[in-house]
Amino acid sequence: MSVAVSSKLNKTVRERYLKLPQEGRVQVTYVWIDGTGEGLRCKTRTLEYEPKTVQDIPEWNYDGSSTFQSEGSNSDMFLIPCRMFRDPFILDPNKLVLCEVLKYNRKPAESNLRQRCKEAMDKAISSHPWFGLEQEYTLLGIDGHPYGWPPNGFPGPQGPYYCGVGADKTFGRDIVEAHYKACLYAGVKISGSNAEVMPSQWEFQVGPCEGIEMGDHLWMARYILHRTCEDFGVVATFDPKPITGNWNGAGCHANFSTEAMRKEGGLQHIEEAIDKLSKRHQYHICVYDPKGGKDNSRRLTGLHETSSIHDFSAGIANRGASIRIPREVGQDGCGYFEDRRPAANCDPYAVTDVLVRTCILNETGNELNCCTQ
Ligand code: ADP
Ligand code: MN
Ligand code: MN
Ligand code: MN
């Protein structure tokens, strides 16, 4: 892999061009998920006006044969704008727009799980499902080695790094702070960040978001992270177990509630949902990473604050369980629960979709390899 040349360009010179007037024309960067179901792509065009809502942004297209999405002979894919954000990189009035991908026949691409998710959210609308996702990730140097780790060997064992402070305990905080500010500017509903248990591992939270909004905001937060990392010459990976051995993996804990769970007496509704989840463990595991549980099997070992991929468990304040009820929720008797199983590289549309289908729409079925959406 070549070195991160863009990060070494003079960013002070770049500032000068950012200040040039645009004469009323607006750059819109279309962002979409590629055929891997994990990778993000983008391209930019000029509009002659400033779009006020996503409806003002026209459809576009791209070459799907270059994104693992189609054959070269029939390669045009449609980009359907879904949610508009401010562009924190080239600033107002420029926009970022998260898009759905449709095939030549206008059916969703295999990697487009948003339409199916939206159907579930529409059916469950009166329950007002809220989500908060905790996105963990690991920073890597351009050589693929964890950022800031000694070139030969390992940093000291885990213990001092979680929520750590100090140059010997944190690796890459500039990126975390820049990403947080960029999300606030963009209008992404970021709600927090912290250093994680493994050195060079971090987390940000997005939420609470209602319904389809959750997937849209998390995908854009991921785009902004990758783009921020470009500026610093560092790479963010969502691999659920980037370093084997005695190092924590990376998850995407899904916090979930319905209106009934948030009200007085809600704990009973939380327990009912957990009972439904217990009967569908295998199915959820299939959906909780892009490879049907294969990626997550490296992470969900039962060690390092995880539950075993083979067992379902739930408990108050238990970080070794599949489902954790936060202590204050147990005390208040209402609130939300946390599904700790999703891998860091999950598709949030798939995760929020299946939570709603199992817990609200009462879908059942737990057959193996069922996640062939
Ligand atoms: P943890 O203790 O597991 O590290 P965090 O503070 O990182 O928890 O994340 C908690 C998440 O729960 C946040 O994303 C927050 O938005 C979300 N959350 C809080 N209340 C609710 C709720 N009622 N329904 C769904 N999500 C919620
Ligand atoms: Mn957290
Ligand atoms: Mn965490
Ligand atoms: Mn958590």
Side-chain angles (χ1 to χ4, degrees), residues 134 136 196 203 253-255 319 324 338-340:
E134 302 169 50
E136 294 179 338
E196 267 305 333
E203 169 179 314
H253 298 165
N255 299 275
R319 287 174 192 265
R324 166 179 151 258
E338 175 191 45
D339 189 338
R340 300 175 59 80

Side-chain angles (χ1 to χ4, degrees), residues 8-242:
K8 300 205 173 71
L9 296 175
N10 187 323
K11 304 299 178 191
T12 312
V13 175
R14 177 181 180 268
E15 289 293 305
R16 218 156 66 200
Y17 296 95
L18 270 186
K19 293 196 188 94
L20 291 175
Q22 296 187 190
E23 309 301 338
R25 304 169 86 202
V26 173
Q27 288 160 285
V28 180
T29 297
Y30 290 57
V31 176
W32 70 96
I33 302 159
D34 73 15
T36 65
E38 298 181 62
L40 285 165
R41 309 279 176 133
C42 71
K43 62 174 186 165
T44 304
R45 75 194 294 187
T46 305
L47 295 185
E48 297 298 328
Y49 55 90
E50 181 179 351
K52 296 299 173 203
T53 72
V54 72
Q55 278 82 32
D56 297 336
I57 302 178
E59 286 183 16
W60 204 12
N61 53 61
Y62 68 95
D63 166 19
S65 71
S66 302
T67 59
F68 314 117
Q69 272 162 320
S70 68
E71 307 272 315
S73 55
N74 203 355
S75 68
D76 275 8
M77 308 291 279
F78 295 102
L79 286 171
I80 313 300
C82 292
R83 200 173 292 272
M84 185 176 84
F85 298 87
R86 292 164 73 200
D87 188 325
F89 303 104
I90 50 175
L91 310 181
D92 290 336
N94 304 302
K95 309 296 179 202
L96 298 175
V97 66
L98 187 77
C99 297
E100 265 190 38
V101 175
L102 303 185
K103 295 190 280 199
Y104 66 95
N105 57 9
R106 297 191 72 84
K107 296 247 180 346
E110 277 68 32
S111 54
N112 176 1
L113 306 184
R114 189 179 188 274
Q115 288 209 352
R116 187 185 147 85
C117 178
K118 180 81 168 42
E119 275 169 34
M121 296 304 168
D122 287 347
K123 282 190 204 155
I125 197 160
S126 62
S127 301
H128 296 286
W130 287 9
F131 304 94
L133 295 180
E134 302 169 50
Q135 178 69 68
E136 294 179 338
Y137 61 95
T138 307
L139 296 176
L140 306 175
I142 222 60
D143 55 0
H145 194 66
Y147 179 72
W149 286 32
N152 303 301
F154 295 91
Q158 293 183 164
Y161 309 111
Y162 169 74
C163 298
V165 182
D168 54 343
K169 299 183 189 68
T170 60
F171 302 79
R173 195 192 295 278
D174 283 356
I175 293 168
V176 178
E177 290 178 350
H179 170 256
Y180 202 144
K181 287 276 253 186
C183 283
L184 291 175
Y185 181 96
V188 169
K189 290 188 173 177
I190 189 167
S191 46
S193 76
N194 57 269
E196 267 305 333
V197 174
M198 185 179 92
S200 307
Q201 198 179 76
W202 296 86
E203 169 179 314
F204 62 84
Q205 301 97 32
V206 178
C209 290
E210 186 161 338
I212 196 72
E213 189 186 37
M214 184 70 254
D216 292 349
H217 279 248
L218 191 75
W219 275 114
M220 190 52 82
R222 287 177 176 176
Y223 171 83
I224 292 172
L225 179 64
H226 289 310
R227 176 63 188 77
T228 302
C229 283
E230 275 183 22
D231 283 346
F232 290 97
V234 168
V235 171
T237 178
F238 298 116
D239 188 292
K241 190 79 177 185

